[in-house]
Amino acid sequence: MSIANYRRMLQFKADGRRANISMIFPNVEFRITPKTRDGRAINIHVLISPDDPNHENEIDNALGRLSIEFNDRAYSCQHAQLIALG
C-alpha cells in the first residue's frame, strides 16, 4: 500500500540508471480477506496512469483516506502509519 518503490524507480530513471525502460507506472498492492479456499491471501493490484502530473500526490491523498483497524486503533495507509502498524 505504498508507491515508495515507484518513486525510487523514477529517481533511478532520472539518474540515467534505467534508460532502457520507456514506461514506469505506479502499482499499489492490497491483500484482502476473506482468504481463498486454500487459505491464500487475495491480492489486488491497482495500476495508476502517470499521465497526470499530480498523480503521486493524488495517490498519497487516496491512501491517506484508507484505514486499517488493529487492536482498537486505526492506522491510515500512509507510509509512516504502515510502519507504526508493522
Side-chain angles (χ1 to χ4, degrees), residues 21-64:
I21 298 175
S22 60
M23 177 70 145
I24 301 172
F25 53 91
N27 167 41
V28 180
E29 178 181 352
F30 297 92
R31 291 196 179 126
I32 64 167
T33 57
K35 295 181 178 181
T36 64
R37 275 183 282 191
D38 59 353
R40 300 178 83 185
I42 297 172
N43 296 332
I44 296 175
H45 292 262
V46 179
L47 306 176
I48 298 116
S49 170
D51 291 342
D52 180 345
N54 197 35
H55 70 280
E56 292 180 57
N57 288 332
E58 293 295 334
I59 295 166
D60 288 336
N61 289 336
L63 291 175

Side-chain angles (χ1 to χ4, degrees), residues 2 4 6 9-10 12-13 23 33 40 47 53 57 75 85:
S2 166
Y6 168 71
M9 287 300 293
L10 289 179
F12 289 161
K13 186 162 178 61
M23 177 70 145
T33 57
R40 300 178 83 185
L47 306 176
N57 288 332
Y75 298 86
L85 171 63

